[in-house]
């Protein structure tokens, strides 16, 4: 295993980055105009969403169509170069989001040139190596059944019901907006025979989960996986970005979903070699205490592990557990978050489940392996499937990182160890996943594909199912979250920070992203509920009573917390989030089988609640009641985010209070011009104005970072009856950060009372308030007289 010393150097790591969501409503031209403001804010790098040509109108850019050019709808390469030049003139550099795992399967299909060629020419086309397709899963055309074909699950009904909607137009087959190339020499055939002669099979979209034979991005049918592990595919899909890096336009990279890759370590090594070790971070979700593989050639993660610790240290663990109990009593569901996660995973891999086809592909692989020698024979496909389903359901993290031909990592060995009572088939599957049964093409593929499938099962079963079912405290149900372990102690937080500084000092830290289900300030409001669980349970019951009979009590908890998190919000905005949430939960309705009756009730219930003249003032009143404590959480989270070890990544608009919800709600363009006016107009905070306070805190901390003043992290502790309400630390000998935690509990206990913090010798200035202190004992009630956070610098 490569040592940490072999990772790319972090000397060129950003001091802080700012994430911009590029889209037709906010292009590279808009980003260039925002550069002076972002430089004044204090970041060192602009973190750009994907740059390559994507589906028209894409608000995220992860549906790549063409790797050979910068997106014209974003302004093209010329606009990117202009942005880079403007950024450089202001001392900034660019980080680009890279999407190595998949491409769009677009409408019309001809927009994806490589895929178009594969649809026309089949598995022998040179571009067939690009795409992760199991050609053996679908019999080929009638004249070449052994070659296989690609299943395209996109018809609105069964094939027989839509035949009349299929039209041959020259060398193209049309179905509404869809276009498919015809295999050469088949355009003259009658339609039924023509369909049987193509290298693809059109079918009803409902068959995808059970029969699809291309790897998808999770369960998204119109995102087809790319085999970036093939050297020529890597070169073709990364050529433009690597050229722009060589030319100095791009300084670093954010890698999307590395767990979808066959060999994440190999990919990162190839990228590091191609870029000379450019700053690179990976969107890796670490579960619980899981560590990022030490031999990955990157600076660290994109920061969801930091998000969980920062949120956790500001969440009352005991109160959250009481809230869980109140939720279970009201909802009548004894399940806990961990059980909900296992159930979600199990549903993904069950026959007919959303990832059934991916599981069946593993079963077929085991069948090929068992045919390679008599010592592996006689394992029934049904037993293999059961063993795989059980293992994928119980696997504790996203995936193992087994490299064929190398000893399996210890954590994978521990997770895949067979229990004493395991059957022979169960042992076989686990040994194959560990790469212990020798080498062959099929055995190596199983190692890689098991990891890819496990990560999809985890993401869809936990974050996109269980996290929408257990609605006791929504702030816990975040990407990378672990709701079964709510809260993080101050000691645990300090241990994590010191470990990050030692192991991954260039990793990003994040609070809000384009993928968070609720933004940082929305979660800051919700975190207050863990401090008053009984009061919130009573309030929730009162709101439900006022709104009228509720068809689903768990959905009521979801609605009321969503309203609280983002208040005020329109019925349309609330309904969009609620509808997505209940469909993801897959209990009363789903994306695949929507229940019109339940969804109609939900729409009526949402609109009725927000039109209720008695309920809305009560909601507003409760938001106002917790506002002082939510303010403390927002500012404390921001200070920790900006000052702990790592590279803070500020999501667009997050320098002021931001109350957004799950995508697409959180991906709308932000008026950076208005933010620039406010920064220039009055950088100093106004008492009680959270927007000014947070903006001032953000720019002050970012400029301090850029000055190079932050040194090594060292925990500090208060002394006194309220000491548990402080998170404090030094960054070297000349910078101290202090933040308030659990503010409602602090208020109920009578405030800071006689709690003190010992300042090192010297003269100290709080950069946030310009108040001055002398080294020695300082009362926290005095330190936090104006703000619940402090940023002290010695000698200023």
């Amino acid at each position: 295993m490569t040592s940490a010393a072999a990772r790319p150097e972090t000397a060129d790591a950003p001091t802080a980055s700012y994430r911009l969501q590029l889209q037709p409503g906010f292009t590279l031209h808009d980003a260039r105009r925002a550069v002076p403001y972002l430089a004044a804010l204090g970041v060192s790098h602009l973190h750009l969403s994907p740059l390559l040509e994507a589906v028209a109108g894409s608000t995220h850019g992860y549906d790549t169509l063409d790797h050979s050019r910068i997106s014209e709808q974003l302004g093209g390469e010329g606009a990117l170069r202009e942005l880079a030049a403007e950024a450089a003139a202001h001392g900034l550099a660019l980080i680009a989001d890279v999407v190595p795992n998949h491409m769009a399967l677009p409408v019309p299909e001809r927009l994806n040139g490589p895929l178009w060629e594969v649809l026309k020419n089949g598995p022998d086309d040179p571009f067939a190596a690009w795409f992760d397709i199991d050609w053996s899963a679908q019999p080929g055309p009638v004249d070449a059944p052994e070659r296989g074909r690609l299943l395209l699950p996109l018809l609105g009904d069964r094939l027989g019901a839509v035949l009349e909607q299929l039209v041959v137009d020259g060398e193209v087959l049309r179905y509404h907006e869809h276009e498919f190339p015809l295999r050469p020499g088949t355009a003259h055939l009658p339609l039924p025979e023509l369909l049987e002669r193509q290298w693809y099979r059109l079918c009803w979209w409902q068959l995808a989960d059970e029969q699809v034979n291309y790897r998808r991005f999770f369960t998204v049918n119109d995102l087809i996986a790319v085999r970036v592990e093939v050297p020529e595919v890597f070169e073709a899909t990364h050529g433009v970005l690597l050229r722009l890096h060589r030319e100095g336009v791009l300084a670093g990279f954010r890698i999307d979903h590395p767990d979808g890759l066959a060999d994440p370590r190999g990919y990162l090594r190839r990228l590091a070699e191609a870029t000379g070790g450019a700053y690179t971070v990976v969107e890796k979700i670490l579960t619980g205490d899981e560590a990022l593989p030490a031999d990955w050639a990157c600076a660290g993660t994109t920061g969801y592990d930091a998000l969980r610790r920062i949120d956790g240290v500001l969440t009352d663990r005991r109160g959250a557990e009481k809230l869980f109990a109140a939720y279970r009593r009201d909802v009548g569901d004894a399940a806990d978050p961990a059980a909900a996660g296992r159930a979600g995973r199990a549903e993904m891999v069950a026959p007919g489940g959303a990832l059934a086809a991916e599981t069946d592909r593993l079963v077929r692989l085991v069948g090929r392996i068992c045919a390679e020698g008599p010592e592996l024979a006689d394992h029934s496909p049904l037993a293999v499937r059961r063993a795989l389903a059980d293992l994928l359901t119980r696997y504790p993290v996203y995936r193992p990182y087994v490299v064929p031909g190398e000893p399996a990592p210890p954590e994978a060995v521990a997770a895949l160890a067979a229990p004493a009572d395991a059957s022979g088939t169960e042992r076989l599957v686990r040994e194959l996943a560990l790469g212990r049964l020798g080498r062959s093409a099929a055995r190596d593929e199983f190692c890689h594909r098991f990891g890819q499938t496990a990560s999809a099962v985890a993401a869809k079963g936990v974050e996109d199912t269980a996290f929408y079912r257990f609605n006791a405290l929504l702030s816990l149900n975040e990407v990378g979250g672990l709701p079964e372990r709510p809260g993080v102690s101050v000691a645990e937080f300090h241990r994590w920070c010191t470990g990050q500084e030692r192991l991954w000092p260039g990793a990003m830290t994040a609070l809000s992203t384009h993928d968070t289900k609720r933004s940082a300030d929305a979660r800051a409001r919700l975190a207050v509920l863990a401090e008053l669980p009984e009061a919130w349970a009573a309030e929730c019951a009162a709101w439900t009573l006022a709104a009228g009979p509720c068809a689903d009590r768990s959905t009521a908890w979801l609605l009321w917390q969503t309203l609280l998190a983002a208040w005020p919000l329109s019925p349309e905005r609330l309904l969009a989030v609620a509808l997505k949430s209940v469909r993801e939960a897959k209990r009363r309705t789903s994306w695949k089988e929507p229940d019109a009756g339940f969804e109609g009730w939900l729409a009526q219930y949402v609109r009725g609640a927000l039109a209720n003249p008695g309920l809305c003032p009560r909601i507003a009143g409760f938001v106002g009641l917790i506002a002082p404590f939510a303010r403390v959480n927002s500012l404390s989270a921001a200070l920790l985010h900006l000052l702990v070890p790592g590279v803070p990544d500020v999501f667009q608009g997050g320098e002021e209070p931001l109350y957004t919800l799950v995508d697409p709600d959180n991906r709308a363009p932000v008026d950076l011009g208005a933010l620039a006016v406010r920064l220039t107009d009055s950088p100093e905070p106004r008492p009680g104005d959270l927007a000014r306070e947070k903006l001032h805190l953000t720019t002050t901390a970012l400029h301090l970072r850029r000055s190079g003043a932050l040194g090594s992290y060292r925990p500090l502790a208060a002394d006194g009856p309220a000491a548990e309400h402080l998170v404090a630390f030094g960054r070297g000998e000349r910078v101290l950060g202090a933040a308030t935690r659990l503010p409602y509990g602090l208020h109920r206990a009578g405030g800071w009372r006689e709690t003190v913090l010992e300042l090192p010798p010297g003269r100290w200035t709080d950069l946030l308030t310009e108040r001055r202190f002398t080294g020695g004992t300082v009362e926290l009630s005095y330190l936090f007289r104006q703000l619940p956070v402090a940023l002290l610098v010695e000698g200023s």
Side-chain angles (χ1 to χ4, degrees):
M1 180 175 289
T2 305
S3 68
R7 299 180 197 135
E9 294 293 330
T10 57
D12 294 329
T15 60
S17 56
Y18 192 97
R19 171 74 177 203
L20 292 172
Q21 286 299 116
L22 301 171
Q23 52 189 289
F26 187 90
T27 68
L28 291 160
H29 299 294
D30 298 303
R32 179 177 56 79
R33 287 188 285 270
V35 165
Y37 161 67
L38 297 173
L41 190 66
V43 299
S44 65
H45 286 62
L46 306 186
H47 175 191
L48 307 177
S49 61
L51 293 167
L52 299 176
E53 194 67 74
V55 169
S58 177
T59 60
H60 50 79
Y62 292 99
D63 41 5
T64 308
L65 282 177
D66 187 349
H67 292 91
S68 69
R69 60 193 171 121
I70 300 300
S71 173
E72 295 298 332
Q73 60 186 322
L74 299 181
E77 185 171 324
L80 177 62
R81 290 182 176 277
E82 291 173 1
L83 170 60
E86 182 74 8
H90 285 78
L92 308 182
L94 307 183
I95 296 171
D97 200 339
V98 183
V99 189
N101 179 67
H102 54 269
M103 292 181 71
L105 203 168
V107 180
E109 286 68 13
R110 69 168 62 251
L111 295 174
N112 185 329
L115 183 61
W116 183 265
E117 295 302 312
V118 174
L119 294 177
K120 181 170 65 175
N121 300 316
D124 293 327
D125 189 272
F127 281 114
W130 277 46
F131 301 103
D132 192 351
I133 300 168
D134 182 7
W135 293 97
S136 66
Q138 292 287 333
V142 292
D143 58 336
E146 75 289 349
R147 303 297 295 134
R149 54 181 172 172
L150 175 62
L151 186 77
L152 294 179
L154 44 79
L155 300 180
D157 202 341
R158 292 177 175 85
L159 178 60
V162 300
L163 272 176
E164 294 183 354
Q165 300 169 33
L166 298 172
V167 178
V168 175
D169 181 7
E171 297 295 321
V172 173
L173 178 65
R174 301 187 185 278
Y175 172 70
H176 299 293
E177 295 83 10
H178 295 274
E179 296 179 358
F180 314 99
L182 293 177
R183 185 179 171 189
T186 63
H188 67 286
L189 297 173
L191 184 61
E193 185 179 351
L194 178 146
L195 293 175
E196 290 300 315
R197 294 282 298 276
Q198 303 310 313
W199 293 111
Y200 50 85
R201 176 193 156 206
L202 303 180
C203 74
W204 187 28
W205 71 271
Q206 290 270 23
L207 299 182
D209 291 343
E210 297 180 61
Q211 297 187 26
V212 69
N213 64 328
Y214 60 89
R215 187 167 59 84
R216 302 169 287 179
F217 174 71
F218 298 146
T219 58
V220 183
N221 293 342
D222 54 7
L223 293 177
I224 182 170
V226 173
R227 298 181 62 222
V228 74
E229 66 272 16
V230 178
E232 54 266 31
V233 177
F234 175 89
E235 292 166 8
T237 55
H238 288 63
V240 168
L241 298 177
L242 294 177
R243 172 176 58 79
L244 291 169
H245 174 264
R246 288 193 302 271
E247 295 171 359
V249 176
L250 301 176
F253 301 100
R254 176 232 191 232
I255 306 304
D256 181 66
H257 187 44
D259 279 339
L261 307 181
D263 179 14
R265 185 189 71 176
Y267 168 82
L268 290 169
R269 287 181 175 176
R270 185 175 291 117
L271 184 65
E273 292 169 0
T275 64
Y279 177 78
T280 301
V281 289
V282 291
E283 188 210 20
K284 168 65 187 135
I285 308 302
L286 299 171
T287 305
D289 298 322
E290 181 188 12
L292 188 67
D295 55 359
W296 281 17
C298 66
T301 74
T302 56
Y304 288 113
D305 43 337
L307 183 155
R308 183 164 71 85
R309 269 71 177 201
I310 294 171
D311 273 13
V313 80
L314 302 178
T315 299
D316 187 322
R317 177 180 293 170
R318 291 186 295 271
E321 290 169 348
K322 291 179 181 178
L323 202 56
F324 287 8
Y327 171 79
R328 292 188 186 105
R329 287 194 301 269
D330 187 37
V331 173
D333 186 348
D336 60 30
R342 289 191 296 273
R345 286 175 180 244
E347 291 172 20
M348 291 298 111
V349 298
L355 290 166
E358 286 76 4
T359 307
D360 290 340
R361 187 169 181 179
L362 287 172
V363 174
R364 292 193 295 273
L365 257 179
V366 174
R368 286 167 48 195
I369 293 167
C370 289
E372 291 179 344
E375 70 280 5
L376 300 177
D378 296 338
H379 292 275
S380 78
L382 181 59
V384 169
R385 200 188 195 291
R386 286 173 177 165
L388 278 167
D390 182 71
L391 188 54
L392 291 168
T393 295
R394 298 179 183 278
Y395 198 75
V397 295
Y398 260 58
R399 64 168 285 181
Y401 299 100
V402 178
V403 177
E406 297 182 13
E411 55 270 20
V413 173
L416 291 165
D421 60 349
S423 69
T425 300
E426 290 171 330
R427 293 180 186 278
L428 170 74
V429 167
R430 290 170 183 263
E431 290 295 293
L432 287 173
L434 288 169
R436 287 175 164 174
L437 296 182
R439 302 286 303 279
S440 71
R443 298 177 204 202
D444 290 357
E445 182 183 350
F446 184 89
C447 277
H448 296 311
R449 196 166 299 285
F450 178 84
Q452 293 170 303
T453 305
S455 71
V457 171
K460 295 303 298 181
V462 180
E463 289 179 10
D464 287 349
T465 300
F467 281 10
Y468 288 98
R469 291 180 175 178
F470 194 83
N471 295 322
L473 183 58
L474 297 184
S475 57
L476 300 176
N477 297 354
E478 197 47 84
V479 180
L482 199 66
E484 58 265 38
R485 283 169 50 186
V488 170
S489 72
V490 175
E492 290 170 328
F493 180 78
H494 285 318
R495 282 195 296 271
W496 182 82
C497 288
T498 54
Q500 277 297 96
E501 183 174 62
R502 178 171 52 89
L503 297 173
W504 302 101
M508 281 183 172
T509 63
L511 284 184
S512 298
T513 76
H514 62 285
D515 277 335
T516 45
K517 300 183 190 305
R518 293 153 197 97
S519 62
D521 298 295
R523 299 195 310 275
R525 281 183 181 173
L526 293 173
V528 179
L529 303 184
E531 294 195 72
L532 36 84
E534 294 87 358
W536 169 247
E539 195 70 19
C540 185
W543 295 5
T544 303
L545 182 64
C550 179
D552 184 80
R553 303 289 287 192
S554 180
T555 298
W557 280 67
L558 166 77
L559 290 175
W560 306 145
Q561 287 192 44
T562 302
L563 277 170
L564 185 74
W567 184 265
L569 71 168
S570 67
E572 292 74 23
R573 191 172 165 219
L574 176 60
L575 181 57
V577 172
L579 187 60
K580 177 169 182 172
S581 299
V582 296
R583 285 180 173 176
E584 295 284 11
K586 295 176 275 291
R587 279 182 163 167
R588 302 296 298 269
T589 187
S590 68
W591 296 106
K592 187 175 181 180
E593 297 180 356
D595 185 317
F598 179 78
E599 292 184 2
W601 165 82
L602 180 63
Q604 184 177 7
Y605 194 79
V606 163
R607 294 192 178 96
L610 288 178
N612 188 315
L615 178 56
C616 288
R618 182 158 186 167
I619 295 173
F622 193 81
V623 172
L625 177 70
I626 68 169
F629 312 108
R631 165 182 171 265
V632 174
N633 286 342
S634 284
L635 293 175
S636 292
L639 181 123
L640 297 177
H641 175 219
L642 296 166
L643 290 183
V644 300
V647 175
D649 186 46
V650 180
F651 186 67
Q652 58 180 26
E655 60 270 42
E656 288 192 342
L658 188 66
Y659 300 98
T660 56
L661 302 166
V662 71
D663 67 274
D665 188 75
N666 58 2
R667 295 178 179 176
V670 172
D671 188 350
L672 297 182
L675 281 166
V677 170
R678 288 195 287 276
L679 180 64
T680 305
D681 174 54
S682 178
E684 298 298 323
R686 299 172 181 174
D689 186 341
L690 178 58
R692 301 283 182 172
E693 291 171 339
K694 190 177 182 187
L695 182 60
H696 179 57
L697 165 59
T698 301
T699 192
T700 301
L702 290 175
H703 279 283
L704 185 66
R705 272 188 165 273
R706 288 217 73 175
S707 73
L710 299 189
S712 298
Y713 185 91
R714 55 190 177 89
L716 300 175
D719 185 42
E724 69 170 345
H725 292 278
L726 179 73
V727 185
F729 51 89
R731 294 304 312 267
E733 299 300 320
R734 298 188 59 246
V735 177
L736 301 179
T740 303
R741 64 186 293 263
L742 311 186
Y744 183 78
L746 178 67
H747 168 73
R748 290 196 62 182
W752 291 109
R753 292 166 285 163
E754 304 301 319
T755 307
V756 298
L757 178 67
E758 193 72 20
L759 297 182
R763 299 179 64 84
W764 297 82
T765 300
D766 182 358
L767 298 183
L768 304 177
T769 63
E770 298 301 324
R771 296 171 66 219
R772 299 183 185 277
F773 303 86
T774 301
T777 301
V778 60
E779 294 269 357
L780 291 182
S781 58
Y782 180 67
L783 178 66
F784 294 136
R785 176 175 293 178
Q786 292 180 225
L787 290 172
V789 294
L791 176 49
L792 303 173
V793 174
E794 191 269 332
S796 50

